[in-house]
Amino acid sequence: MKVFKFGGASVKDSKSIKNITRILKLTGYNDTIIVLSAMGKTTNALEFLVKDYMQGGSSYMDILNKIKEDHLKIINDLFKKTKKSPYNDIVELTNELNNFLKINKSTDHSFIYDQVVCFGELISTKIISFYLELEGIKNYWLDVRKCIKTDSYFRNAALNWNETGKLVKKEIKNKSTIITQGFIASDSKGYSTTLGREGSDYTAAIFAFILNSSSLTIWKDVPGVLNADPRYFNTTQLLKNISYREAIELAYYGASVIHPKTLQPLQQKRIPLFVKSFENPKGNGTKVYEGSKLNPLIPCFILKKNQTLLELSTLDFSFIVEENISQIFSLMDKYKVRVEMIQNSAISFAVCINDRYGKLKDLVLELNLKFKVEVKENVLLHTIRHFDNSSIKEIKESGKKILLEQRTYKTAQFVLSEN
Ligand code: ASP
Ligand code: MG
């Protein structure tokens, strides 16, 4: 079995869906599991829907209708003259979502979020499954929630490997081409859960691991893994080979091409990961596997925006010692902020964080009970793996103010403010 994953950008409109057919015909699609994301920016739209719904707003129905219309337009494009179209399925799915919103009594934001956003993937896979059939690619549409089982930690659920292993093998048996959803799963009560934003890569890796796949290919709108994000950097280079270890490091620092949780399962079973361009499927792309270092060995740049720098000192100017540090970290854990970089001196402790769930205010309130806290919002975190003199010089001469700087043997990190 091989596993393919197509992200939101590769299924964003009818043209890109046609392109998937082209890729499958080129690569072969027997014994293949195809994991798909929601189309384009659908997950973002569903997030807005949830936000408005939670605030008792009046626009969430408009958002839902817009999502429905956008998908029906794509169906119209793809299935012009055919009778067998997913039109009814999509209407049914959006009705189901509408129903949930009507009868829901819960006020748990994360629970509601997962019950709603899962529709993005359910809808996209239905459309693509029908389209592949139309193109002569027989396939089986699998509701992934039947076999990817998690705990009930909504929005960032943890996998139940045991249960998932058994169910995946059962569901996959005797099937050749399977279309299914990334990112979404279900808990022991059958409620929908999600694996964290951009989690479809992880779903693909879970399948690859359980089925001992020969490879996992992630199809992207870039030629492969690049040494910098082309949205922020003018010149980028393709990384041809990367070891699992290096890829894990890059993902950890925030390189957004591969979801961080994706790599460990692949590494454990030595399953090679290919990252390829869906526009140029014959191109080499990037191969991530055991042993190969980084080829070419060049500096890799990772930029994270919208970070927050906290500078803490004790109220009585006493030293920051182990006890304080452990308190600080347990609060970071409590508010689920991600610690990106830390630096401490005798009486101060600086920490650059990513406030993933908008908990900064509460965090700072609680820190204020014990510490004097200075907050700088909207800072940039710039990481360079395999830095050299000229890459460091570039940052120093960028005109941005360096608030914090740290270097280890292979990695340099800078917290910068825009002015
Ligand atoms: N659709 C989800 C998201 O946009 C999952 C994914 O694309 O991997 O985060
Ligand atoms: Mg996506």
Side-chain angles (χ1 to χ4, degrees), residues 5-9 35-44 46-47 113 117 120-121 124 182-184 194-203 259:
K5 183 255 166 173
F6 292 93
V35 174
L36 300 170
S37 293
M39 289 179 177
K41 300 269 178 256
T42 307
T43 307
N44 291 358
L46 288 163
E47 275 188 355
Y113 180 101
V117 298
E121 268 73 11
S124 69
F183 176 54
I184 70 175
T194 59
L195 305 171
R197 283 304 305 264
E198 306 300 327
S200 297
D201 291 359
Y202 181 43
T203 306
H259 189 276

Side-chain angles (χ1 to χ4, degrees), residues 101-336:
L101 295 170
K102 267 197 208 138
I103 61 169
N104 167 59
K105 295 260 180 340
S106 167
T107 51
D108 177 348
H109 181 269
S110 299
F111 168 78
I112 295 170
Y113 180 101
D114 281 0
Q115 309 320 302
V116 172
V117 298
C118 62
F119 281 91
E121 268 73 11
L122 293 170
I123 292 174
S124 69
T125 48
K126 266 285 173 210
I127 296 177
I128 291 157
S129 167
F130 268 77
Y131 186 67
L132 296 182
E133 286 283 339
L134 181 69
E135 285 290 305
I137 300 177
K138 284 214 166 323
N139 66 87
Y140 177 80
W141 182 86
L142 169 68
D143 183 340
V144 86
R145 296 173 299 177
K146 276 163 115 180
C147 54
I148 305 279
K149 301 303 283 186
T150 65
D151 64 9
S152 302
Y153 198 93
F154 297 105
R155 287 191 78 164
N156 197 10
L159 195 75
N160 179 337
W161 279 100
N162 242 336
E163 186 82 354
T164 301
K166 281 185 226 148
L167 291 170
V168 162
K169 283 180 195 142
K170 192 177 132 214
E171 286 297 330
I172 292 313
K173 218 174 179 176
N174 302 326
K175 296 179 185 108
S176 179
T177 307
I178 292 150
I179 302 288
T180 198
Q181 307 81 32
F183 176 54
I184 70 175
S186 72
D187 71 1
S188 60
K189 293 197 184 110
Y191 286 116
S192 299
T193 57
T194 59
L195 305 171
R197 283 304 305 264
E198 306 300 327
S200 297
D201 291 359
Y202 181 43
T203 306
I206 295 166
F207 276 112
F209 180 90
I210 291 169
L211 300 167
N212 295 314
S213 294
S214 51
S215 66
L216 164 59
T217 306
I218 297 181
W219 297 92
K220 305 225 37 141
D221 53 355
V222 285
V225 181
L226 304 173
N227 74 323
D229 186 333
R231 285 175 301 176
Y232 310 133
F233 295 85
N234 293 330
T235 46
T236 58
Q237 257 179 282
L238 177 71
L239 303 172
K240 291 183 193 146
N241 305 120
I242 313 177
S243 65
Y244 293 115
R245 175 83 202 267
E246 181 65 35
I248 288 168
E249 294 280 355
L250 289 171
Y252 170 81
Y253 287 113
S256 57
V257 253
I258 307 167
H259 189 276
K261 283 193 205 158
T262 308
L263 292 151
Q264 271 105 345
L266 300 178
Q267 180 183 29
Q268 265 193 52
K269 291 214 173 156
R270 308 273 190 274
I271 298 166
L273 166 66
F274 296 94
V275 180
K276 289 185 175 225
S277 155
F278 60 73
E279 273 148 16
N280 177 23
K282 285 188 177 154
N284 286 332
T286 300
K287 182 177 181 185
V288 181
Y289 63 112
E290 190 62 32
S292 82
K293 291 204 181 79
L294 187 63
N295 171 31
L297 189 58
I298 49 173
C300 299
F301 301 90
I302 302 146
L303 186 64
K304 282 187 145 184
K305 295 185 169 187
N306 293 322
Q307 308 295 300
T308 305
L309 182 66
L310 302 179
E311 286 185 278
L312 313 180
S313 48
T314 50
L315 294 170
D316 56 2
F317 290 104
S318 60
F319 292 152
I320 297 246
V321 291
E322 289 78 0
E323 192 199 340
N324 312 113
I325 296 175
S326 96
Q327 277 171 351
I328 297 168
F329 271 99
S330 67
L331 287 178
M332 301 289 165
D333 179 45
K334 178 172 167 191
Y335 291 105
K336 300 286 171 219

